[in-house]
Amino acid sequence: RHRVEKVWRPRTPFELLACRVERATKRTSPSIAPSRHLIMFSRRAVAAWALAALLLVALAAAEGSDQASDDKPKPPPPKKSSSGGAPCSFKGGAWKNSLSQTEKMWAGSLARLCAQTLLHPLDTIRTRRQAAGGLTTTPKDMLKGLVPQMLGAMPAGALQFIAYEQTKTELNALCKNQTLGGLRPHLTEICAAAVGAAAASLVRVPQERVKQPVQADLYPSMFAAIQANLKSGGLSSFYTGFTATILRDIPWNTLSFFFFNIFKTAYEGLLNMAPNQRDTMAIGAVGGALAAVIMTPVDVVKTRLMLQKPGADGKLPYMGIAHALVKISTEEGPGALMKGLTPRMAYLGPLAAITMSIYEKIGKKMLMDKGPNWCKKK
């Protein structure tokens, strides 16, 4: 009698890649399945390469647009209007005051929609990794929760940028005669970013309560998550984890704006020139990623609070932010508070860069469509 060996065959490109790698390194039989860890490593490597390629293409496109604009013949400087005054300019940030509230709303909502939709797969990987017990992510899982992500991105972006710009304008008018030791621009940016993040949280928290359970396989669809929230506690259940979200989003926005201003000032001091579009995106990405590292433990706690379900005794695993911090670090070790760090950095860094660059691009296009004297129009 001969023993019939079951032949294993790869079913996905990731398993085929892992099989070839293991056969090349260990010279194993093609009928033996490669290890699970190697398959997961190959998936992560391919995802990382795809992300890197996407970022390189975006940076190359931004650089190409800068070079193309430099190669074009420069038009003569605009003449002063008969009413007098300097010609309109996009230098600094005062040009945003010429945007109406409706224009700021559309620019902010479209910028947030584009950024969050492009980076949704990374957000899904982060959420599944931070869930209790951790979840592996397959290519099919990366699009889970995309619909509530897109539905909530536009109103959240509109609220954030309207509140941010309005707060910045009011603070500049209030403190126009005060320098605050040269820190007024930085403090204004920090306060305006905090108010914008707080306004966006009014939409983002219900969005996360629907999106994250779908990403973590707690519910099969957005409608099932909405029905479960309504049954568990009514409309108030959509704001579970609101405090943790505020404690995560406001510091992240504040730190990302602060780091962006610091790095931009250092860039201009070293090179004696303003950064171009590509370098501006890179500075924003670094600032957003660095802020993400600092706020990762709060993000883990926020995810656990939003994904928790009552146990067999009817009680929730976590009673609040402090209790969740202590319980996670005690039962799973302090390193559990940094789960999802890599996808979080890869998500929030490009998110800051893409959102701000698209917002400014749309805003400038709206003003340029009004003509060369857009700053003088009411």
Side-chain angles (χ1 to χ4, degrees), residues 216-348:
D217 294 334
L218 297 181
Y219 303 108
S221 66
M222 174 184 69
F223 301 104
I226 293 175
Q227 291 177 357
N229 277 287
L230 291 175
K231 289 181 180 179
S232 62
L235 294 177
S236 61
S237 65
F238 286 98
Y239 284 91
T240 301
F242 181 79
T243 303
T245 303
I246 287 289
L247 292 177
R248 180 200 65 173
D249 287 355
I250 290 182
W252 179 79
N253 279 271
T254 301
L255 289 172
S256 61
F257 275 95
F258 177 75
F259 290 141
F260 177 79
N261 288 328
I262 292 295
F263 295 151
K264 185 178 179 181
T265 302
Y267 180 99
E268 294 173 346
L270 291 174
L271 301 181
N272 196 25
M273 59 180 292
N276 55 27
Q277 184 177 359
R278 182 194 65 180
D279 295 339
T280 300
M281 290 183 65
I283 292 172
V286 172
L290 186 56
V293 175
I294 298 174
M295 298 308 302
T296 295
V298 181
D299 185 53
V300 172
V301 171
K302 189 270 305 180
T303 301
R304 295 292 181 91
L305 290 176
M306 286 191 167
L307 296 181
Q308 64 178 341
K309 280 187 171 182
D313 56 355
K315 296 182 179 179
L316 293 173
Y318 309 109
M319 294 183 294
I321 298 175
H323 179 255
L325 277 170
V326 174
K327 187 173 182 179
I328 293 172
S329 59
T330 302
E331 295 182 355
E332 305 176 35
L337 295 174
M338 299 302 292
K339 284 185 176 180
L341 174 61
T342 301
R344 179 170 163 80
M345 291 176 60
Y347 173 73
L348 289 178

Side-chain angles (χ1 to χ4, degrees), residues 162-237:
I162 288 176
Y164 165 74
E165 296 292 354
Q166 188 64 30
T167 303
K168 190 176 179 180
T169 301
E170 296 294 336
L171 289 177
N172 283 328
L174 183 64
C175 305
K176 61 181 180 179
N177 296 325
Q178 301 178 8
T179 61
L180 301 178
L183 297 177
R184 191 187 74 178
H186 300 295
L187 294 176
T188 301
E189 288 282 351
I190 289 174
C191 294
V195 173
S201 296
L202 297 175
V203 176
R204 280 189 50 76
V205 175
Q207 176 198 30
E208 295 284 285
R209 283 288 295 169
V210 175
K211 173 180 67 71
Q212 286 196 334
V214 175
Q215 290 175 314
D217 294 334
L218 297 181
Y219 303 108
S221 66
M222 174 184 69
F223 301 104
I226 293 175
Q227 291 177 357
N229 277 287
L230 291 175
K231 289 181 180 179
S232 62
L235 294 177
S236 61
S237 65

Side-chain angles (χ1 to χ4, degrees), residues 46-62 114-115 117-122 281 346 350 354:
V46 171
W49 293 338
L51 175 63
L54 178 62
L55 294 178
L56 288 176
V57 169
L59 293 177
C114 293
T117 302
L118 288 173
L119 299 171
H120 180 75
L122 290 175
M281 290 183 65
I354 295 173

Side-chain angles (χ1 to χ4, degrees), residues 9-92:
R9 297 185 183 280
R11 294 173 295 177
T12 66
F14 297 104
E15 293 177 351
L16 179 61
L17 175 63
C19 183
R20 290 180 177 177
V21 171
E22 189 152 318
R23 284 166 56 188
T25 55
K26 296 184 178 181
R27 301 183 182 274
T28 58
S29 171
S31 62
I32 301 177
S35 62
R36 172 179 169 271
H37 297 289
L38 187 56
I39 293 177
M40 290 306 303
F41 175 78
S42 64
R43 291 174 179 172
R44 293 168 185 169
V46 171
W49 293 338
L51 175 63
L54 178 62
L55 294 178
L56 288 176
V57 169
L59 293 177
E63 179 67 12
S65 63
D66 290 342
Q67 293 178 355
S69 61
D70 293 339
D71 295 339
K72 292 180 180 179
K74 295 183 179 179
K79 297 180 180 180
K80 293 184 179 180
S81 62
S82 57
S83 58
C88 299
S89 173
F90 288 112
K91 290 182 179 180

Side-chain angles (χ1 to χ4, degrees), residues 3 44 78 96 101 110 199 278 308 351 361:
R3 183 178 180 182
R44 293 168 185 169
K96 297 177 184 178
Q101 294 290 353
L110 291 175
R278 182 194 65 180
Q308 64 178 341
L351 178 68
K361 187 72 174 179

